[in-house]
């Protein structure tokens, strides 16, 4: 996979496909969790962990593009 995954201050996590040169997917982070501050992608590129400015943690499934866990 050639994905560049990044978070924005506007509350989204985006993946850009470097081979296709287009956006692969976008996920919204709920506003009550705070703005994205940091993220980490697992070695198999199946999920990512996202930390927010309000101290929340959210697990996002990169295969199905849905959150699977939230600790707020």
């Amino acid at each position: 996979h050639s994905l560049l995954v990044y978070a924005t201050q506007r509350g989204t996590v985006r993946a850009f496909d470097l081979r296709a040169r287009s956006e692969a997917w976008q996920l919204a982070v709920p506003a009550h969790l705070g703005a994205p501050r940091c993220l980490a992608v697992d070695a198999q590129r199946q999920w990512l962990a996202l930390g927010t400015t309000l101290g929340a943690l959210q697990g996002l499934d990169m295969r199905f593009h849905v959150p699977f866990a939230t600790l707020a």
Side-chain angles (χ1 to χ4, degrees):
H1 291 95
S2 298
L3 287 180
L4 172 65
V5 179
Y6 61 99
T8 70
Q9 291 181 340
R10 294 184 181 200
T12 60
V13 176
R14 297 174 180 245
F16 187 82
D17 186 330
L18 297 172
R19 289 180 291 173
R21 296 184 181 171
S22 64
E23 187 170 81
W25 49 263
Q26 173 181 317
L27 296 171
V29 178
H32 71 274
L33 296 179
R37 183 166 186 128
C38 58
L39 63 86
V41 177
D42 81 305
Q44 289 78 33
R45 297 178 296 271
Q46 295 183 7
W47 56 267
L48 66 85
L50 173 77
T52 71
T53 55
L54 296 179
L57 294 173
Q58 188 170 49
L60 300 166
D61 188 314
M62 293 176 48
R63 298 166 299 166
F64 303 109
H65 313 130
V66 295
F68 63 83
T70 301
L71 301 170

